[in-house]
Amino acid sequence: MTIKEIAQLAGVSSAAVSRYLNGGYISGEKKERIKKVIDETGYQPSAQARILRTKKACLVGVVVPKINSESISRVTAGIEQVLSGRGYQMLLASTDNDPAKEIAYLKLFESYPVDGIILIGTVITAEHRKFLKSSNIPVVVIGQYTKYANCIYHDDYGAGKAMGKLAAKVIRTGDGKDLKAAYIGVTKTDKAVGVAREDGFRSGLRSAGVELAPDYVRNVEFTMDAGYHAALDLLEHNSDIGIISCATDTIAAGVIQALLTYGGHTAPGSSVDLGRRMQYIPDHAQIRVTGFGDNQLLKAVTGGIPTVHFGYKTSGIRGAELLLDVIERNEKIPVEIKLGFRLVD
Amino acid sequence: MTIKEIAQLAGVSSAAVSRYLNGGYISGEKKERIKKVIDETGYQPSAQARILRTKKACLVGVVVPKINSESISRVTAGIEQVLSGRGYQMLLASTDNDPAKEIAYLKLFESYPVDGIILIGTVITAEHRKFLKSSNIPVVVIGQYTKYANCIYHDDYGAGKAMGKLAAKVIRTGDGKDLKAAYIGVTKTDKAVGVAREDGFRSGLRSAGVELAPDYVRNVEFTMDAGYHAALDLLEHNSDIGIISCATDTIAAGVIQALLTYGGHTAPGSSVDLGRRMQYIPDHAQIRVTGFGDNQLLKAVTGGIPTVHFGYKTSGIRGAELLLDVIERNEKIPVEIKLGFRLVD
DNA sequence: CTGTTAGCGCATTCAG
DNA sequence: CTGAATGCGCTAACAG
């Protein structure tokens, strides 16, 4: 069904139909005729042809690393909020943490009718930079710092440091034989989550005179399962761990699972203390688990582990506003926004 | 940057460039010249113009009720898998459980360059039916039964019934004073989750001679928070509850939170038994919590509550296959697929 | 192998 | 107020 056919059926020109659709000059009588035909046929104008003509889609594409994540959904909720408030719609593309797919979707959006792109970043490869530099539609990056695009990121280093200080306090037993801190991080190619959080964590420990020994560090995927196995590995090789800090709450959930399953205390009748904070006691020592991200489901069912709350929704809001500023007002001044955090313990 | 400009710069016709791009006949020498110009300019063909011409986007749009859900991400993972295997890409639109937004995104996709739509359904309103009937591109619905489109749904009634039977067993104390079963469901406009699961649950209870009293039933939103408050309300009004069955694992998480927080056992030193299954003991009675969906995070950190595993990934796979059959082979025979379940306890 | 031509469905001049 | 005509960027015939 095209505008032309509608025009024929209504006995008017296609231009008249177009005007009818877009609120241009049209007489009441023709308006009626056109309305009637459109109602009868269920005609739906082709957005794509319109966009080809107008170069305006009122649409933004958002590229995310994965769909099933509380933090990401908070970001997209923020984006959605400002977008829909300003008459835009949002399309999502999930890359499943595959950088190649990320590039593919960025290119897809670039050549598709979207007015702008928001990238919720994980790793920024050379390909990414190339894309950011040469993109012919505006892009804003959320979650990673980059000088090649407007970006909004979180103080991952500061958050890591705060967590490191907390960890240093926790492992101090007072009897002169302090426990050890362990850290489960992610790939170093992720500058925010992989590098900044871990570096911050080390720095926080160090400020309290504690070093993070290499044997007490693991690097894993962004999954619960990975956290589970890393925890087992860590516990197998070290018997003096007092705290396992994880780069994300999801990984922390896997660690908790490992402690629950293989801690030696799962026989009927045994118990796990779930007070304000997750605590587990194998070998007469308490092992504390911490994360980052303030996952609400985890908090609900465990009572909450120490974690960090980032302003994810805020970053989504700011990101969308930034993007719309560029799209609508052609704002040219580069912007970098760094958002703070709140330690939750 | 357009194909025309590239053609000029390379001193060939635009058709030649088009052929170069799409693997048509072209001489080696011109191929070189075109390649050089494209590399230099970073030219990116407009997919939208191509699609306007070819009517083929190799893209499918997926409309989901929310982004942050393990079940939905499993469905989309299944969809992605078959789509990318067959050279398609996937675009997501999240509606935040707002039926109006759902319609808006369906219409967007219809007029946008996608070859087909997958709707992960919650409520099917008259508007939905109207859309399904009149859509000019193929649609498949996942998660709800409908006769107006190809659909893939789960045996929610059977699952509810199995859970009802389990609940009946649990509340039997043996001392003649059986406990009561409570149910936290969702809106009845959701035929699968709201109606089928609850009806099945009642039927399962009934088959064991147990009735679900109105005072022991609540209807809430699809959120943890709603589960939390419903549980408090339930416990405030009834002191003989032995099990709280919830329509989703997310709601169940909220119930667990309520039990942990207000069960009267959160004072330091008190404990919660987290063995194979979540158990909580207020007022000398065990309150068991059950859900649907087999959420992995919940399972990991609680040891697992009784729940139902649906073949979400499978439904995504079948749904995508179905859609591609219609798109590519113009398959006209309507299909309805009902998938089974597995009780996890 | 190549260039010319004619649209895809629509919005926008521009005369009327 | 209206319709005819033009072109958005691209591909598919077609004739060379």
Side-chain angles (χ1 to χ4, degrees):
Chain A
M1 193 59 51
T2 80
I3 202 173
K4 217 167 164 184
E5 301 176 70
I6 299 298
Q8 277 180 341
L9 290 173
V12 298
S13 74
S14 65
V17 179
S18 175
R19 274 194 281 269
Y20 168 81
L21 258 14
N22 300 289
Y25 291 144
I26 189 97
S27 69
E29 189 237 349
K30 300 207 168 181
K31 198 181 285 187
E32 280 309 310
R33 289 220 304 273
I34 295 171
K35 179 175 174 10
K36 185 149 168 285
V37 174
I38 287 181
D39 284 349
E40 279 169 4
T41 57
Y43 164 71
Q44 186 76 17
S46 157
Q48 106 183 261
R50 187 211 324 266
I51 294 161
L52 181 61
R53 215 19 255 258
T54 60
K55 267 102 175 59
K56 190 80 186 63
C58 278
L59 213 52
V60 344
V62 179
V63 177
V64 302
K66 58 180 172 182
I67 226 53
N68 181 28
S69 154
E70 217 182 88
S71 21
I72 289 166
S73 76
R74 294 216 288 254
V75 178
T76 59
I79 296 173
E80 239 291 319
Q81 181 183 309
V82 347
L83 248 37
S84 72
R86 289 170 65 173
Y88 282 72
Q89 289 181 293
M90 176 177 79
L91 253 26
L92 258 35
S94 173
T95 64
D96 202 26
N97 273 309
D98 177 349
K101 251 184 202 169
E102 207 161 285
I103 301 285
Y105 276 111
L106 285 172
K107 286 190 176 167
L108 173 69
F109 276 139
E110 185 185 17
S111 67
Y112 259 72
V114 300
D115 301 315
I117 299 176
I118 294 178
L119 170 64
I120 299 185
T122 52
V123 318
I124 307 281
T125 66
E127 280 251 68
H128 286 79
R129 275 187 284 276
K130 193 171 132 197
F131 178 85
L132 293 177
K133 270 192 285 190
S134 67
S135 168
N136 43 38
I137 66 174
V139 183
V140 355
V141 174
I142 293 181
Q144 298 282 341
Y145 171 79
T146 174
K147 56 186 165 190
Y148 297 106
N150 283 347
C151 65
I152 299 180
Y153 58 102
H154 305 276
D155 184 6
D156 288 285
Y157 183 86
K161 187 159 185 175
M163 191 57 84
K165 286 181 180 170
L166 185 149
K169 217 176 296 171
V170 164
I171 59 175
R172 192 151 297 146
T173 57
D175 63 2
K177 269 190 57 180
D178 286 354
L179 295 168
K180 291 283 175 30
Y183 187 82
I184 302 179
V186 299
T187 172
K188 289 292 194 298
T189 53
D190 186 324
K191 297 307 174 198
V193 182
V195 177
R197 288 186 193 171
E198 184 172 332
D199 285 357
F201 186 74
R202 282 176 198 278
S203 152
L205 282 179
R206 197 166 293 149
S207 75
V210 178
E211 284 297 319
L212 184 60
D215 290 357
Y216 293 76
V217 176
R218 295 292 183 279
N219 261 283
V220 303
E221 301 286 302
F222 282 82
T223 63
M224 228 166 47
D225 213 46
Y228 175 81
H229 289 105
L232 292 186
D233 186 42
L234 234 24
L235 293 170
E236 204 171 293
H237 293 283
N238 308 284
S239 59
D240 54 355
I241 293 178
I243 189 167
I244 301 179
S245 286
C246 309
T248 74
D249 274 8
T250 303
I251 293 171
V255 173
I256 292 172
Q257 178 184 20
L259 293 178
L260 285 172
T261 313
Y262 288 103
H265 286 257
T266 52
S270 73
S271 70
V272 173
D273 195 331
L274 288 178
R276 266 288 289 129
R277 133 179 343 160
M278 182 75 197
Q279 297 173 338
Y280 188 73
I281 314 183
D283 293 311
H284 310 292
Q286 274 190 3
I287 296 190
R288 295 275 269 277
V289 180
T290 76
F292 288 85
D294 197 20
N295 183 294
Q296 297 301 302
L297 178 56
L298 187 61
K299 173 180 290 177
V301 299
T302 66
I305 61 173
T307 187
V308 169
H309 184 95
F310 291 107
Y312 286 125
K313 186 165 184 189
T314 305
S315 66
I317 291 173
R318 293 269 179 286
E321 285 172 346
L322 225 57
L323 186 68
L324 292 187
D325 283 352
V326 179
I327 292 172
E328 297 184 341
R329 292 201 276 285
N330 199 26
E331 193 62 69
K332 280 296 180 196
I333 305 148
V335 182
E336 295 168 5
I337 300 178
K338 174 158 143 187
L339 297 173
F341 64 93
R342 181 165 46 79
L343 187 66
V344 180
D345 69 342
Chain B
M1 193 57 51
T2 80
I3 203 173
K4 218 166 162 183
E5 300 176 70
I6 299 298
Q8 277 180 341
L9 289 174
V12 296
S13 75
S14 65
V17 178
S18 175
R19 274 193 281 268
Y20 167 81
L21 257 14
N22 299 290
Y25 292 144
I26 189 99
S27 70
E29 189 237 349
K30 299 207 168 180
K31 197 181 285 187
E32 279 309 310
R33 289 221 303 272
I34 296 171
K35 179 175 171 15
K36 185 148 169 286
V37 175
I38 288 181
D39 285 349
E40 279 168 4
T41 56
Y43 163 71
Q44 187 74 19
S46 157
Q48 111 184 257
R50 184 205 336 260
I51 293 160
L52 182 59
R53 208 31 245 257
T54 60
K55 268 102 174 58
K56 190 80 187 62
C58 278
L59 248 193
V60 344
V62 179
V63 177
V64 303
K66 58 179 170 181
I67 226 53
N68 181 28
S69 154
E70 219 182 85
S71 22
I72 288 165
S73 75
R74 294 216 288 256
V75 178
T76 59
I79 296 173
E80 239 290 318
Q81 181 182 308
V82 347
L83 249 36
S84 72
R86 289 170 63 172
Y88 281 71
Q89 288 182 293
M90 176 176 81
L91 254 26
L92 259 35
S94 174
T95 63
D96 202 27
N97 272 311
D98 177 349
K101 251 185 204 170
E102 206 161 284
I103 301 286
Y105 275 112
L106 285 173
K107 284 189 176 166
L108 172 67
F109 276 139
E110 185 185 17
S111 67
Y112 195 81
V114 300
D115 300 316
I117 299 176
I118 294 178
L119 169 65
I120 300 185
T122 51
V123 319
I124 307 281
T125 66
E127 279 253 67
H128 285 79
R129 276 187 284 277
K130 192 171 131 198
F131 177 85
L132 294 178
K133 271 192 285 192
S134 67
S135 169
N136 42 37
I137 67 173
V139 183
V140 354
V141 175
I142 293 181
Q144 297 283 341
Y145 172 79
T146 174
K147 56 186 166 192
Y148 298 107
N150 283 347
C151 66
I152 300 183
Y153 58 103
H154 304 274
D155 184 7
D156 289 285
Y157 183 87
K161 187 159 183 176
M163 191 58 83
K165 285 181 180 171
L166 186 148
K169 218 178 295 171
V170 163
I171 59 176
R172 192 151 299 145
T173 57
D175 64 3
K177 270 190 58 183
D178 286 353
L179 296 167
K180 290 284 177 27
Y183 187 82
I184 302 179
V186 299
T187 173
K188 289 291 194 296
T189 54
D190 185 326
K191 296 308 173 196
V193 182
V195 177
R197 288 185 192 172
E198 183 171 333
D199 285 357
F201 186 75
R202 282 176 198 279
S203 152
L205 281 180
R206 198 167 293 146
S207 75
V210 178
E211 285 297 320
L212 184 60
D215 290 356
Y216 292 77
V217 177
R218 295 293 183 280
N219 262 284
V220 303
E221 300 289 300
F222 282 82
T223 63
M224 228 165 49
D225 212 47
Y228 174 83
H229 289 104
L232 292 186
D233 185 44
L234 234 26
L235 293 170
E236 203 171 295
H237 294 281
N238 307 284
S239 59
D240 55 354
I241 293 178
I243 189 167
I244 301 179
S245 286
C246 309
T248 75
D249 274 8
T250 302
I251 293 171
V255 173
I256 291 172
Q257 179 183 19
L259 293 178
L260 285 172
T261 311
Y262 288 103
H265 287 257
T266 51
S270 73
S271 70
V272 173
D273 195 330
L274 288 178
R276 269 288 288 128
R277 128 180 348 158
M278 183 75 198
Q279 297 173 339
Y280 188 72
I281 314 182
D283 293 313
H284 308 293
Q286 275 191 2
I287 296 190
R288 294 274 270 277
V289 180
T290 76
F292 288 85
D294 197 19
N295 184 293
Q296 297 300 303
L297 178 57
L298 188 62
K299 173 180 290 178
V301 299
T302 65
I305 61 173
T307 187
V308 170
H309 184 96
F310 291 108
Y312 286 126
K313 186 165 184 189
T314 305
S315 65
I317 291 174
R318 292 269 178 287
E321 286 172 345
L322 225 57
L323 187 68
L324 292 187
D325 283 352
V326 179
I327 293 172
E328 297 185 341
R329 292 200 277 286
N330 199 27
E331 193 61 72
K332 279 296 181 197
I333 305 149
V335 182
E336 296 168 2
I337 300 178
K338 175 159 144 186
L339 296 173
F341 65 92
R342 182 163 47 79
L343 187 65
V344 180
D345 68 342

